[in-house]
């Protein structure tokens, strides 16, 4: 029996009492992935990206482990909810225009102390002040640096279009704006190198493309490391009490951790290891989060149909955004239907061994987005479900 076949047998036994669709997290794999992130971070704390987990119980589990500290959230409403739930260090990774949430943040000393907001434009400070409930509460602020690699005088850009702040002078100018403004305190700097941390450099069957990605990422790491160090020096000259400099992502943990200017690493997808994180030379994780759909039809030889399963991930549309049939091995999509809203035909010799009611296990393309489809996660240890915990959706929270 192959390791994957053994996993399938375990998951089927663990969930035999549960009807599909069902979602699981294999805790042994989850914990092993957490250990690997800590190893690669080489002593620097890891701030957990909540959007890649979207389950409070699992956020609590990983933050109880040595090497992890703090949350990186994705909306202000989520940040406030987590802070009210007892999480004491929540960094909002994206600027917000949520006036209601800003009013809540500036009305409660506990929330103001726990949540740090992201800023890359003075207009964002204006939004906070326009919604402010109390003038005496300081809002914790983090600045974001654009990490994109720009070549040929900026005519070629590689990387996400995030912050407009790129140079040490630009960051220092905004830092001075924050320092001069009553009711705000600059505490952090963030730089997320998604073109390094979130792009696999070993694409199966694409050796030329893979080499090109590795060359790009090597150049990007060198350029960013030098520029980030200069930016940190410039910002610290304005705000000597800067508490943290955040960088990284699952695919670049060890590279970012090696930079002296960086004080903490952000990571989250490396806990679940979805399919988009299979193609890296820098690390190899264990798939921990899976979902199962039930076989409901057997249309013919070499074909079964499962209920639903059309859960595409965000990003530029493409085949890599679809979930991948994982267990049993040897199943693939029908090119005319793909992963469907109400049914998904699967082709392959393994189909002939599946019966009506059997489970087919899938891996989502991204990590936390799986939890937007399920209200609960079944936590599996060995061949048993040892706990059932709600996702954000199961707690009635759909932040985006």
């Amino acid at each position: 029996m192959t390791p994957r076949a053994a996993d399938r047998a375990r998951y089927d036994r663990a969930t035999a009492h549960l009807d599909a669709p069902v979602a699981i997290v294999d805790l042994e794999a989850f914990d092993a992935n957490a250990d690997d992130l800590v190893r690669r971070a080489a002593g620097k704390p890891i701030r957990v990206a909540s959007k890649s987990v979207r389950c409070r119980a699992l956020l609590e589990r990983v933050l109880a482990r040595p090497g992890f500290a703090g949350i990186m959230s994705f909306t202000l409403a989520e940040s406030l909810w987590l802070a009210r739930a007892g999480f004491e260090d929540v960094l909002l990774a994206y600027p917000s225009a949520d006036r209601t949430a800003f009013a809540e943040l500036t009305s409660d000393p506990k929330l103001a102390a726990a949540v740090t907001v992201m800023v890359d434009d003075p207009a964002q400070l204006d939004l906070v002040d326009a919604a402010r409930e109390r003038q005496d509460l300081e809002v914790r602020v983090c600045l974001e640096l654009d990490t994109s690699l720009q070549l040929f005088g900026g005519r070629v850009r590689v990387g996400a279009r995030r912050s407009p702040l790129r140079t040490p002078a630009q960051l220092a100018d905004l830092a001075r704006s924050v320092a001069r403004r009553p009711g705000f305190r600059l505490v952090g700097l963030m730089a997320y190198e998604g073109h390094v941390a979130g792009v696999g450099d070993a694409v199966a069957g694409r050796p030329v493309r893979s080499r090109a990605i590795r060359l790009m990422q090597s150049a990007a790491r060198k350029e960013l490391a030098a520029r980030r160090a200069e930016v940190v020096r410039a910002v610290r000259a304005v705000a000597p009490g800067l508490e943290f400099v955040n960088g990284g992502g699952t695919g670049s943990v060890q590279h970012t951790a090696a930079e002296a200017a960086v004080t903490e690493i952000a990571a989250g997808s490396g806990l679940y290891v979805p399919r988009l994180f299979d193609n890296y030379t820098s690390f190899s994780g264990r798939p921990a989060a899976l979902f199962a759909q039930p076989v409901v039809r057997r249309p013919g030889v070499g074909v079964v149909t499962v209920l639903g399963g059309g859960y595409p991930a965000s990003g530029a549309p493409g085949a890599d955004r679809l979930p991948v049939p994982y267990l049993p091995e040897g199943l693939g999509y029908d090119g005319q239907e793909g992963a469907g809203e109400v049914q998904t035909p699967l082709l392959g010799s393994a189909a002939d061994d599946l019966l009506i009611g059997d489970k087919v296990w899938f891996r989502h393309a991204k990590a936390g987005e799986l939890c937007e489809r399920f209200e609960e996660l079944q936590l599996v240890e060995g061949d048993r479900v040892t706990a059932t915990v709600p996702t954000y959706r199961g707690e009635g929270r759909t932040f985006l």
Side-chain angles (χ1 to χ4, degrees):
M1 182 180 291
T2 67
R4 277 175 60 174
D7 283 341
R8 180 196 175 200
R10 285 197 300 116
Y11 300 151
D12 282 348
R13 288 195 299 271
T15 62
H17 62 296
L18 298 170
D19 290 330
V22 63
I24 67 168
V25 170
D26 183 331
L27 290 181
E28 181 181 336
F30 181 89
D31 290 344
N33 292 334
D35 288 341
D36 185 63
L37 288 170
V38 171
R39 177 190 62 79
R40 292 196 287 138
K44 292 188 176 177
I46 297 171
R47 186 180 291 272
V48 183
S50 64
K51 76 176 183 66
S52 300
V53 179
R54 302 194 201 199
C55 171
R56 280 201 300 158
L58 290 174
L59 288 173
E60 291 167 353
R61 182 184 183 93
V62 71
L63 286 170
R65 302 176 69 85
F68 291 87
I71 287 177
M72 177 176 282
S73 59
F74 60 99
T75 74
L76 184 53
E78 178 212 14
S79 305
L80 301 180
W81 179 64
L82 291 173
R84 288 195 180 95
F87 295 95
E88 297 178 347
D89 180 6
V90 183
L91 169 63
L92 176 58
Y94 308 89
S96 177
D98 189 336
R99 291 171 294 180
T100 300
F102 279 136
E104 294 177 21
L105 175 69
T106 57
S107 67
D108 187 327
K110 176 186 173 183
L111 297 179
V115 175
T116 301
V117 302
M118 189 63 61
V119 171
D120 58 32
D121 189 309
Q124 294 152 356
L125 302 175
D126 296 338
L127 280 177
V128 178
D129 274 338
R132 186 182 290 276
E133 292 288 317
R134 287 178 53 173
Q135 301 300 318
D136 61 320
L137 287 186
E138 278 192 328
V139 174
R140 293 168 54 85
V141 171
C142 178
L143 307 184
E144 182 171 3
L145 165 69
D146 170 40
T147 66
S148 65
L149 176 65
Q150 297 189 13
L151 305 171
F152 307 109
R155 292 191 295 276
V156 174
R157 174 195 177 100
V158 182
R161 297 183 182 275
R162 293 174 62 106
S163 172
L165 306 175
R166 182 169 181 82
T167 68
Q170 290 173 324
L171 272 294
D173 282 346
L174 186 53
R176 282 188 284 270
S177 295
V178 175
R180 288 193 299 261
R181 196 153 178 164
F184 296 93
R185 179 158 59 97
L186 179 57
V187 300
L189 179 68
M190 186 190 85
Y192 170 59
E193 53 266 38
H195 51 301
V196 179
V199 177
D201 63 350
V203 184
R206 304 287 297 276
V208 176
R209 177 175 173 79
S210 297
R211 177 165 173 75
I213 291 172
R214 287 194 290 273
L215 290 172
M216 176 276 292
Q217 291 180 339
S218 177
R221 287 196 301 267
K222 291 175 183 176
E223 186 276 336
L224 178 59
R227 183 159 53 90
R228 179 156 39 199
E230 293 175 3
V231 166
V232 171
R233 282 193 294 270
V235 172
R236 286 197 184 277
V238 178
L242 205 66
E243 296 174 13
F244 63 86
V245 176
N246 181 281
T250 288
S252 67
V253 170
Q254 64 269 43
H255 301 297
T256 309
E259 295 182 34
V262 175
T263 66
E264 63 175 39
I265 310 299
S269 295
L271 295 169
Y272 287 170
V273 187
R275 67 167 294 192
L276 283 176
F277 284 82
D278 284 348
N279 303 319
Y280 285 78
T281 57
S282 60
F283 82 104
S284 177
R286 294 173 54 183
L290 301 95
F291 67 93
Q293 304 294 116
V295 174
V296 292
R297 286 177 170 157
R298 290 171 51 88
V301 175
V303 186
V304 292
T305 301
V306 299
L307 182 70
Y311 305 155
S314 60
D320 64 344
R321 301 289 144 166
L322 296 179
V324 61
Y326 184 60
L327 301 171
E329 298 178 64
L331 295 174
Y333 291 121
D334 182 331
Q336 295 185 24
E337 293 195 49
E341 177 188 11
V342 291
Q343 72 161 35
T344 298
L346 297 171
L347 312 181
S349 59
D352 294 330
D353 295 324
L354 290 168
L355 304 176
I356 299 294
D358 283 352
K359 294 181 176 77
V360 174
W361 295 92
F362 293 77
R363 295 170 64 202
H364 203 279
K366 285 194 170 181
E369 292 184 19
L370 164 65
C371 294
E372 298 299 333
R373 300 288 184 166
F374 291 88
E375 295 184 351
E376 297 177 337
L377 296 173
Q378 309 298 325
L379 305 186
V380 172
E381 297 185 70
D383 60 358
R384 295 186 305 118
V385 170
T386 56
T388 301
V389 295
T391 61
Y392 279 13
R393 174 178 170 174
E395 296 198 69
R397 305 287 177 168
T398 51
F399 296 107
L400 276 180

